[in-house]
Amino acid sequence: MKKRTIDGSAFKKMIIKGANKLDDNKELLNSLNVFPVPDGDTGTNMSLTVLSAAKEVEKSKDNTITGISKLASNGSLRGARGNSGVIVSQLYRGFATAFKGKDVATIEDIANGFVKAKETAYKAVIKPKEGTILTVATALADKAMEIKDEVTDVDEMFTKLIKHGNIVLDKTMDMLEVLREANVVDSGAKGLMTIVEGWGESLRTGEEVTINEYKASREEVDVDIFSGEIDIEFAYCTEFFIVLEEENDEIEDKLKGSIGKLGDSLVVVADEKIVKIHVHTNNPGKALEEAVKYGKVDSIKIENMEIQNEKLQNARKANKPKKPVGIVTVAQGDGIYRMFDDLGVDEIIRGGQSMNPSTEEILKSIEKVNSDNVIMLPNNKNVFLACEQAKELAKSKKIHIIYTKTVQEGISALINYIPSEDVKNVVESLEEGYAEVKSLEVTYAVRDITTDIEIKKGDYLYISDGNIEFSNKDLEEGVIQLIESKIEEDSIITMYYGEEVKKEDAEKIAKQLSEKHKECEFDVYEGRQPLYYYLISIE
């Protein structure tokens, strides 16, 4: 039987299926990162974004295409992470615009949805590039308009759209030099096609689906751990229910044995069909993995007790008087947090490379600041769009974004911070503060790649203002070479060493350089940032 329209119920299934398919393939998308550093996070960002949309539609009883598309748009926007996530949220917003006021969507409405999606996404990007997710969005929109009058079934429409979209996806490799050199397609574009393929599968089968339970990788979980003043051995207070697939008289003993190994403060309470679990652990994911062996997991609550402790210690901040200007920033690493706190930042959003904060997380931090004027320091290009979306949503405050691309730029901007009743003067002082900063980074390669230089997996990578300068296998030698290639007479060099670097090793490098370059000033600080051995600023 031909399907000539889709209603809200069908679109709900499509949204959930597309989110699940993307979540299943997020590691593949992460691996397509053309920059061979350990922060390829397109798949993670897109997955969290579309899962947020899926959660919004799943709980709705609305069967109109208007209602479901609006919920998907709102959910994806609130959950949008990174530039790729924000772009996806705008694609969903385009469909909501096209479906507004309708109970069902016809083939022509769907074609118009792809067009509106493309148009809305392009508006969100200041400098759009071909060979990206926008290219594939355009291809889908053009193809949809081309075939809307010839197809008589939505299944047929999506089959043709997916075939054409994947052809264009393969061509993205030839549209951008970085993709061609890395021999990969664009990860965001691949993510979009994964979503659309999920939509097509949903239409074909019509099967009921439930949302994947998102499982963070170890790296994602570790990013948010903050070592407070109180020694907490197991950071995550984890609670959930298991709806048992069948009665099991031994369930309490089995769970006490398996989950009990993961932490302390374990409580297991069971009746015939429901088990409640409470445990303090450093790996909530493993506790959930054990749980799903016995049934469906529900009502999950995971709280980081170290961060709760930190919030309690900083509760006094909530009692501060209203300020003329407040500041919110994004950062990773205990030492970096403390530095921003010392520089007068009101709210620090934990995130950055490998785990970009969502629009909603940014918005919540903005709302916590006791000021009508809030300045945002993203410190990462991949957080820019989420900040811009938060700015649009923050109706009660005036938001000013300082487009800092690195933590080093953010710190330098704040060192130059001149408090003032006039927010314009504050913005100008911050922008002047980082204008001349050179940002250097040292990390490692997550895979082999050959561009202008040959890079092997595990090599140390030396980066200057976003460009890989060289790689080698000797960290100390490489750091010295990188700094010496960029310093000038009377430079001020500040080194923030990461969580895998010893203080004495960082100080040894600074001492060697200062003895050779006596006209320069060298400072060393504990950053404790993950993934990056050193963050270095030169002014």
Side-chain angles (χ1 to χ4, degrees), residues 35 381 405-406 439-441 462-469:
F35 213 42
K381 288 193 295 184
K405 300 184 293 296
T406 65
S439 294
L440 313 181
E441 301 160 333
Y462 302 90
I463 302 165
S464 174
D465 292 325
N467 300 309
I468 299 176
E469 299 282 315

Side-chain angles (χ1 to χ4, degrees), residues 36-182:
V37 298
D39 52 16
D41 49 13
T42 299
T44 299
N45 287 337
M46 293 182 76
S47 177
L48 288 168
T49 301
V50 295
L51 283 172
S52 180
K55 288 174 183 176
E56 282 295 310
V57 303
E58 187 180 49
K59 60 190 179 185
S60 173
K61 298 187 183 302
D62 194 331
N63 284 320
T64 66
I65 198 80
T66 294
I68 295 301
S69 62
K70 184 177 180 181
L71 286 171
S73 173
N74 291 342
S76 63
L77 178 57
R78 291 280 179 175
R81 293 175 184 266
N83 290 351
S84 56
V86 172
I87 291 171
V88 169
S89 75
Q90 296 308 289
L91 293 170
Y92 279 30
R93 184 179 177 185
F95 278 99
T97 300
F99 295 163
K100 185 176 181 180
K102 301 179 184 295
D103 291 329
V104 299
T106 64
I107 287 172
E108 185 172 355
D109 292 331
I110 296 168
N112 190 37
F114 277 102
V115 172
K116 291 293 185 184
K118 174 205 72 172
E119 292 173 351
T120 309
Y122 264 93
K123 289 178 182 177
V125 181
I126 298 173
K127 295 181 180 179
K129 290 183 180 179
E130 292 309 313
T132 66
I133 186 173
L134 297 174
T135 300
V136 171
T138 299
L140 291 170
D142 292 346
K143 189 66 175 178
M145 294 303 290
E146 177 189 323
I147 65 176
K148 66 182 177 66
D149 294 326
E150 64 184 59
V151 296
T152 57
D153 183 271
V154 290
D155 288 352
E156 178 189 4
M157 181 184 197
F158 271 84
T159 298
K160 291 186 175 183
L161 284 174
I162 291 166
K163 181 179 179 180
H164 179 68
N166 280 322
I167 290 172
V168 175
L169 171 65
D170 289 339
K171 291 179 180 178
T172 62
M173 193 182 301
D174 298 319
M175 296 179 186
L176 285 173
E177 185 177 353
V178 290
L179 297 176
R180 186 165 56 252
E181 290 178 345

Side-chain angles (χ1 to χ4, degrees), residues 269-280:
V269 180
D271 65 13
E272 293 179 355
K273 282 289 186 179
I274 298 287
V275 183
K276 181 175 181 180
I277 306 288
H278 171 280
V279 64
H280 292 174

